[in-house]
Amino acid sequence: MKPSTPSFTTDVVIGLEIHVQLDTKTKLFCSCPTKPVATKQNAEDVPNTRCCPTCLGFPGSKPVANKKAIDYALKLCLALGCSISETLVFSRKSYFYPDLSKNYQITQYELPLGTSGAVMLSTGKKIGLTRVHLEEDPASLVHPDSIERSAFVLIDYNRSGIPLCEIVTNPELASPEEARDFMKQLNAIFEYLDIFNADTCVVKADANISIKESGYIRSEVKNITGFKEIERALFYEVQRQNAAVAAGEKLVQDTRGWDAAKGITIRLRKKETEEDYGYILDTDIPVIDVTPEWIAQIKKQVPELPAEKVHKFVTTHKIPEEDALVLAQEKLLAEMFEKVAEKIDPILAAKWLRRELLRVMNMTKQTFKDLLIDEHHLIELLELVSTKQITDRTAQKMLEELIVKPFSPKAYVKEHGLGAVSDAGIIEQYCKEAIAENPGVLADYKSGNEKAFHFLVGVVMKKSKGKAVPNEVNSILKSLISH
């Protein structure tokens, strides 16, 4: 990140450095597996079993770049609208830290794979990107107790050499809410590109944050995971810096850790500058030409992205932008909506997928990958709704069952007699009974209590076992009461 400048004008200035783990089978510079290998003896990952002389940096070992990781990084750069470097070179970032067995990290410095580019927030604000580059992950440090209280630290090198893509933003985010939204939009792009596995890969962010009152002296908060945690950590850091300035403290540039359990940041060290790392080119890794043909081949693999989906949903399917933003956020949800909207009115489809399907999924704690229900079930269900063969209430109940154990909605309605009661004579009879059985409620309504009317509607719906159409019940009830 460039040093703070007095050109900032917002009260808070935030820049993010996001590290996304690429979903490759092997590490960035060796053939060690990136994921745990289950054996008969061990079903879980055992520390320091997925490492070799190369990822540990033994003398004489030779790193070889993983093409799949470069393909994925190229795909991400293209999706973010970056300019692509014509050559790929790696450098050694030298610093001493226990998680680096060779005392340097192989990364990119002089020529990042991608520069410029941008991510659009849900508000439409564009956040520019300084660079996108490849690098290896260091080992993981394990503190048996908390980071502050542990008497010793354990080191697991299984993570050492995992391929990461680092995305560095311009310092253009002006609040913790914007930082959270940025992470959400970027994460959706990762999902669309199929370069990241949410079940096994990790996204972490380092946040550089400063406030106007200090003259924009920034602190870097390291290794924050999760949208909610980003927002929490940044809220805390803004409050801490404001309180420090108010108390007369002169802030200094530093690096801090985020303690999610306590909800505080902790100073780890004073901030290094890029010059402190003494970057040198890694001569063990040959320069790789990023040819136009290679870029063109990867470009064909970049799918329609969330922002393009939103535009299409609003302009082609004519659904509200608010619904389009929600539907496009999840790749599988967006794909399901498009299939359903081919057969069902898109506005009705959007309403049911965005609201009802997500409601039921939240209730059953399911993800889209868990879903057994497919578009055929939804199309059949919504055909019954759109032709008023069943009520919304009946459809909601059926969806709750469909999501657990799919079945044919049409056959289910026939088998269980769930067809909507459309006979006005039957509904009128239920309404007359409801009025006769509840004279006190009728009197309350006539004296101005609107809630009393809703009670009567509820009585009718109960009598019809939820199969009467509420609009017809309202209309008939009001007609009877007014006479």
Side-chain angles (χ1 to χ4, degrees), residues 33-44:
T34 53
K35 300 176 183 65
V37 179
T39 66
K40 289 182 180 177
Q41 291 76 27
N42 296 297
E44 297 182 353

Side-chain angles (χ1 to χ4, degrees), residues 55-57 92-106 136 157 277-278:
C55 55
L56 293 176
R92 296 179 178 183
K93 181 181 180 180
S94 303
Y95 64 98
F96 175 78
Y97 208 62
D99 59 2
L100 277 175
S101 58
K102 52 186 179 247
N103 282 352
Y104 63 83
Q105 179 189 25
I106 303 177
E136 62 176 351
Y157 287 100
Y277 292 123

Side-chain angles (χ1 to χ4, degrees), residues 1 24 41 86 121 135 185 200 268 291 356 390 425 433 436:
M1 300 289 288
T24 58
Q41 291 76 27
E86 294 179 357
L121 303 184
E135 67 181 27
Q185 304 308 323
T200 57
L268 301 176
T291 64
E356 288 306 320
I390 58 174
E433 290 173 11

Side-chain angles (χ1 to χ4, degrees), residues 294-363:
W294 190 2
I295 295 173
Q297 181 194 357
I298 297 299
K299 192 174 276 186
K300 290 178 185 173
Q301 300 172 22
V302 177
E304 197 171 45
L305 295 168
E308 296 165 300
K309 293 277 190 198
V310 170
H311 179 73
K312 185 171 75 176
F313 292 170
V314 171
T315 57
T316 304
H317 296 301
K318 310 294 183 191
I319 68 171
E321 185 175 12
E322 183 189 355
D323 287 348
L325 286 167
V326 174
L327 293 169
Q329 197 66 40
E330 288 272 359
K331 182 185 177 188
L332 295 177
L333 179 62
E335 290 174 348
M336 184 177 282
F337 167 72
E338 289 189 277
K339 291 174 183 172
V340 175
E342 288 178 4
K343 304 286 185 184
I344 298 294
D345 172 30
I347 293 176
L348 179 69
K351 172 189 165 187
W352 276 81
L353 267 70
R354 186 225 158 157
R355 295 185 175 87
E356 288 306 320
L357 182 61
L358 295 184
R359 175 187 69 82
V360 178
M361 287 176 64
N362 285 335
M363 187 173 71

Side-chain angles (χ1 to χ4, degrees), residues 164-346:
L164 302 177
C165 225
E166 180 171 341
I167 301 102
V168 182
T169 76
N170 296 336
E172 295 174 349
L173 295 156
S175 69
E177 293 94 338
E178 282 194 353
R180 178 175 181 167
D181 189 26
F182 178 89
M183 291 295 291
K184 189 176 173 186
Q185 304 308 323
L186 187 62
N187 203 56
I189 293 172
F190 294 156
E191 186 190 351
Y192 271 68
L193 295 178
D194 281 334
I195 61 172
F196 169 76
N197 184 330
D199 295 328
T200 57
C201 297
V202 176
V203 178
K204 291 180 290 188
D206 301 339
N208 286 280
I209 182 166
S210 60
I211 59 172
K212 182 189 286 184
E213 287 75 6
S214 73
Y216 301 111
I217 302 299
R218 70 176 187 264
S219 289
E220 181 183 34
V221 183
K222 303 282 287 184
N223 294 330
I224 315 168
T225 57
F227 307 145
K228 185 180 172 185
E229 290 305 306
I230 280 276
E231 197 172 11
R232 278 185 71 211
L234 290 175
F235 266 127
Y236 172 82
E237 190 56 22
V238 169
Q239 290 175 348
R240 184 195 69 80
Q241 292 185 18
N242 276 323
V245 170
E249 182 183 335
K250 185 174 175 55
L251 297 184
V252 295
Q253 196 167 303
D254 63 0
T255 298
R256 310 181 70 85
W258 169 240
D259 187 329
K262 292 183 178 177
I264 60 172
T265 63
I266 304 159
R267 175 176 287 180
L268 301 176
R269 54 188 181 272
K270 287 188 177 178
K271 174 68 179 174
E272 300 91 348
T273 64
E274 291 296 337
E275 289 73 21
D276 294 329
Y277 292 123
Y279 287 94
I280 57 171
L281 288 178
D282 193 321
T283 54
D284 281 343
I285 307 173
V287 174
I288 299 169
D289 292 329
V290 185
T291 64
E293 292 77 18
W294 190 2
I295 295 173
Q297 181 194 357
I298 297 299
K299 192 174 276 186
K300 290 178 185 173
Q301 300 172 22
V302 177
E304 197 171 45
L305 295 168
E308 296 165 300
K309 293 277 190 198
V310 170
H311 179 73
K312 185 171 75 176
F313 292 170
V314 171
T315 57
T316 304
H317 296 301
K318 310 294 183 191
I319 68 171
E321 185 175 12
E322 183 189 355
D323 287 348
L325 286 167
V326 174
L327 293 169
Q329 197 66 40
E330 288 272 359
K331 182 185 177 188
L332 295 177
L333 179 62
E335 290 174 348
M336 184 177 282
F337 167 72
E338 289 189 277
K339 291 174 183 172
V340 175
E342 288 178 4
K343 304 286 185 184
I344 298 294
D345 172 30

